[in-house]
């Protein structure tokens, strides 16, 4: 699932970064604050998703491995976002 998870996570993060940035700009926030909002919105909560799959009895479904792969790639990109946004803000 590495390739498809990487592509899916990249598009999802870029989309949510863009949406967060646009929402921040519409609210009159600075560009940096808007970027941080986009970064916050682009990271999903693995705990919530795993819990939801468990409660719905979906852990055995075929798409769950792709979702977990996407979440792992999101966390790797989140680390990069934290480093990049922190250094740009400083």
């Amino acid at each position: 699932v590495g390739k498809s998870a990487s592509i899916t996570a990249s598009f999802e993060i870029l989309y949510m970064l863009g949406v967060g940035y646009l929402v921040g700009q519409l609210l009159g926030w600075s560009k940096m604050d808007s970027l941080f909002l986009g970064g916050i919105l682009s990271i999903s909560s693995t705990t919530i998703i795993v819990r939801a799959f468990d409660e719905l009895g979906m852990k055995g479904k075929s798409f769950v491995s792709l979702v977990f792969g996407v979440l792992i790639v999101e966390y790797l990109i989140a680390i990069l976002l934290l480093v990049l946004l922190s250094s740009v803000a400083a």
Side-chain angles (χ1 to χ4, degrees), residues 13-89:
I13 286 177
L14 287 173
Y15 177 76
M16 291 309 293
L17 269 170
V19 168
Y21 180 80
L22 288 175
V23 168
Q25 291 295 292
L26 289 173
L27 292 173
W29 294 3
S30 70
K31 289 183 181 186
M32 186 55 58
D33 290 342
S34 298
L35 278 175
F36 273 99
L37 177 63
I40 290 167
L41 291 177
S42 68
I43 302 169
S44 300
S45 175
T46 304
T47 307
I48 293 171
I49 293 172
V50 170
R51 184 88 164 181
F53 282 159
D54 191 34
E55 288 180 6
L56 294 172
M58 299 179 114
K59 277 194 168 179
K61 304 286 182 179
S62 60
F63 68 91
V64 173
S65 61
L66 175 64
V67 173
F68 288 151
V70 168
L71 291 171
I72 290 169
V73 173
E74 277 185 358
Y75 276 126
L76 294 174
I77 295 174
I79 293 168
L80 293 173
L81 277 175
L82 286 171
V83 170
L84 289 173
L85 289 176
S86 299
S87 29
V88 169

Side-chain angles (χ1 to χ4, degrees), residues 1-21:
V1 297
K3 192 175 190 179
S4 56
S6 298
I7 292 169
T8 304
S10 298
F11 279 120
E12 185 261 335
I13 286 177
L14 287 173
Y15 177 76
M16 291 309 293
L17 269 170
V19 168
Y21 180 80

